[in-house]
Amino acid sequence: MYKYKFLIAIFVFIIVVTTVIFLYFRFEVKEDKLKHVLDQLTLELNDQLKTNQMDALKLALAMSRNSALVDALENDDEDLGYRILSDVTKNIETNTHTKIKAQIITSEYNIFARSWDDVYAGMPLGDYRTDLDYFKTHNTPRTSIEVGRRLGLKATVPMYKNNIFLGFFEVIDFFEPITEYFRTQGIDLYVLMDDKYYSTAVLMQENLTFNKYIVANRNYNAAHIEVLKSIDFGQLKSNRILSTKGRHIFYEAMHNGAGETIGAYVMILPDKYLNYFRDPEDDISFLINVKRGSLYNIQKNKEMQSGDLYDFNNPSDIFYMKNIVSGEDKADFSNQAHKQLNNYSKDELIQLILDNQAVKHIDGKIK
């Protein structure tokens, strides 16, 4: 009897130890995956911010050279400046379906003209736009995220005539497009400004506030607000990853042009979407449902650098890439694909086709 009890005890002990080891390694794998997701989200966030900044800067550089605007600024003709600026931005919106907010600021830091209204011409901005002091020692354009009357991305270009400094041309962008971009990936973005800037950001004083932050992006998803209100932001800021109530919350600090921390980007990924992320060793794309054309371009550039363009590691890649390969590459792609597929039997090819149908089934946007 004692022998049986001893064997049962050993058996139970082995089961418990095995279960603990299994759960430990499962936890470690998930932790590694979450760290990888944070890395990928941070890279994507920075890429989106940089893209928006460069687009705004290109537009600001082009529009700041408009001779009619320069003359209007030189002659202090605010009405003419508004009409020209408004007409130009409306023309851009009509032809590109892109809304542009642009403004001209005088050398004394007063509003000269804004594209969206003519109500505040002459209003001083010195108390709100200390970032413009940068141009006291620099004469080159710059882009940065700054706290003004609203938190926003600003591309600022000095305006000159005959080497005489007249003021600034500025294109302003907010965070709604980036929020929408991440939403299509199943991720909810919250752009949070430190509430110590409450008195400066006068146009954000009615915005949602929690945990000493003011929500800057107006198109945020309200579904996660109660969760964000309940978490320990000190812990989130320290660890940069926090999982709670079926959600994974990621943190990235926000800095202004002077390198000061002015808030945070918080991204929330429901646990049910975690498996949509690629494995850490797959650095082609951070989500399975990334735009297929973008995936192809990234894959192509990567393989061209390594000298193995269309050297498929997995035959199913052929089926995935065949519909997104660019026109000029179709001949090379087709030749290489036929060479590799010739190595498979009829039954194997049938199985590959069936497998490809499964790939097509999951290829799409996360809702």
Side-chain angles (χ1 to χ4, degrees):
M1 189 68 175
Y2 175 78
K3 180 178 179 181
Y4 288 119
K5 289 182 178 179
F6 179 73
L7 290 174
I8 292 172
I10 292 178
F11 181 70
V12 170
F13 175 75
I14 292 172
I15 291 176
V16 170
V17 170
T18 303
T19 302
V20 169
I21 292 174
F22 171 78
L23 292 176
Y24 172 78
F25 279 106
R26 185 176 180 181
F27 175 79
E28 286 293 309
V29 168
K30 191 166 187 176
E31 285 293 296
D32 288 343
K33 179 141 192 173
L34 287 174
K35 290 177 182 177
H36 171 67
V37 170
L38 173 60
D39 290 341
Q40 296 302 307
L41 288 178
T42 301
L43 287 172
E44 193 66 17
L45 174 64
N46 290 332
D47 181 66
Q48 287 297 309
L49 290 171
K50 184 176 180 181
T51 297
N52 284 17
Q53 287 175 325
M54 290 301 101
D55 288 345
L57 181 58
K58 291 173 187 177
L59 187 58
L61 285 167
M63 295 179 69
S64 68
R65 302 299 191 269
N66 184 301
S67 59
L69 281 175
V70 173
D71 290 342
L73 178 59
E74 181 187 33
N75 297 321
D76 199 27
D77 191 338
E78 295 172 345
D79 291 336
L80 177 60
Y82 166 71
R83 289 198 302 272
I84 297 171
L85 195 56
S86 178
D87 288 345
V88 171
T89 54
K90 285 179 181 177
N91 190 33
I92 292 173
E93 182 176 349
T94 299
N95 289 283
T96 68
H97 305 290
T98 302
K99 291 185 177 181
I100 301 296
K101 283 186 177 291
Q103 66 181 8
I104 298 174
I105 303 171
T106 69
S107 57
E108 294 82 19
Y109 296 2
N110 299 325
I111 293 177
F112 174 73
R114 301 194 306 184
S115 63
W116 60 98
D117 66 51
D118 59 352
V119 177
Y120 293 99
M123 189 185 81
L125 292 177
D127 292 339
Y128 309 107
R129 296 296 307 277
T130 55
D131 59 287
L132 293 175
D133 290 341
Y134 166 88
F135 293 98
K136 290 180 178 179
T137 55
H138 301 76
N139 59 7
T140 55
R142 81 163 185 169
T143 61
S144 59
I145 294 168
E146 301 293 346
V147 177
R149 297 198 303 160
R150 277 186 69 185
L151 176 71
L153 185 157
K154 298 176 173 68
T156 310
V157 179
M159 298 178 70
Y160 294 89
K161 184 172 182 180
N162 298 325
N163 295 322
I164 298 175
F165 173 60
L166 301 177
F168 310 93
F169 191 97
E170 195 163 67
V171 172
I172 306 170
D173 196 7
F174 300 105
F175 301 96
E176 282 70 23
I178 296 177
T179 304
E180 289 299 326
Y181 171 83
F182 276 100
R183 184 168 293 154
T184 64
Q185 312 296 337
I187 299 150
D188 289 302
L189 173 68
Y190 299 82
V191 181
L192 308 179
M193 182 185 72
D194 195 308
D195 68 357
K196 68 182 179 182
Y197 299 105
Y198 176 86
S199 59
T200 300
V202 294
L203 297 181
M204 294 176 58
Q205 292 178 354
E206 299 299 321
N207 288 24
L208 177 68
T209 303
F210 62 86
N211 289 318
K212 297 184 178 181
Y213 287 106
I214 301 173
V215 182
N217 51 333
R218 295 174 176 175
N219 58 337
Y220 64 86
N221 183 358
H224 304 299
I225 293 300
E226 292 306 315
V227 172
L228 289 174
K229 288 181 177 179
S230 68
I231 65 174
D232 183 343
F233 258 78
Q235 180 184 358
L236 176 62
K237 184 177 180 180
S238 175
N239 297 335
R240 299 185 64 207
I241 302 173
L242 192 155
S243 298
T244 181
K245 299 181 180 179
R247 301 169 174 90
H248 305 291
I249 307 173
F250 305 93
Y251 175 97
E252 176 69 11
M254 179 196 303
H255 301 98
N256 63 10
E260 301 165 334
T261 300
I262 59 174
Y265 305 100
V266 171
M267 293 162 279
I268 296 184
L269 176 70
D271 185 66
K272 62 183 179 180
Y273 292 154
L274 183 60
N275 288 333
Y276 280 88
F277 280 76
R278 299 273 189 178
D279 292 330
E281 62 269 14
D282 183 358
D283 58 357
I284 294 176
S285 169
F286 76 101
L287 279 178
I288 289 178
N289 73 319
V290 73
K291 292 181 181 178
R292 282 153 53 105
S294 298
L295 174 59
Y296 168 71
N297 289 331
I298 296 170
Q299 173 76 350
K300 178 182 174 182
N301 290 336
K302 177 185 174 184
E303 293 178 345
M304 284 182 69
Q305 292 174 3
S306 62
D308 56 355
L309 185 61
Y310 306 135
D311 184 13
F312 305 104
N313 294 320
N314 189 324
S316 63
D317 293 344
I318 298 174
F319 292 91
Y320 187 81
M321 299 292 287
K322 69 182 178 67
N323 293 321
I324 59 175
V325 65
S326 60
E328 66 270 20
D329 295 326
K330 282 189 179 295
D332 290 340
F333 173 87
S334 180
N335 290 335
Q336 188 65 26
H338 278 96
K339 287 180 182 178
Q340 295 201 32
L341 291 176
N342 282 336
N343 296 324
Y344 293 87
S345 67
K346 180 179 178 181
D347 290 340
E348 288 173 328
L349 290 174
I350 291 173
Q351 186 60 48
L352 287 173
I353 293 171
L354 292 175
D355 291 342
N356 181 54
Q357 298 305 311
V359 172
K360 287 184 178 180
H361 178 70
I362 66 169
D363 182 33
K365 292 183 178 178
I366 299 175
K367 299 294 185 183

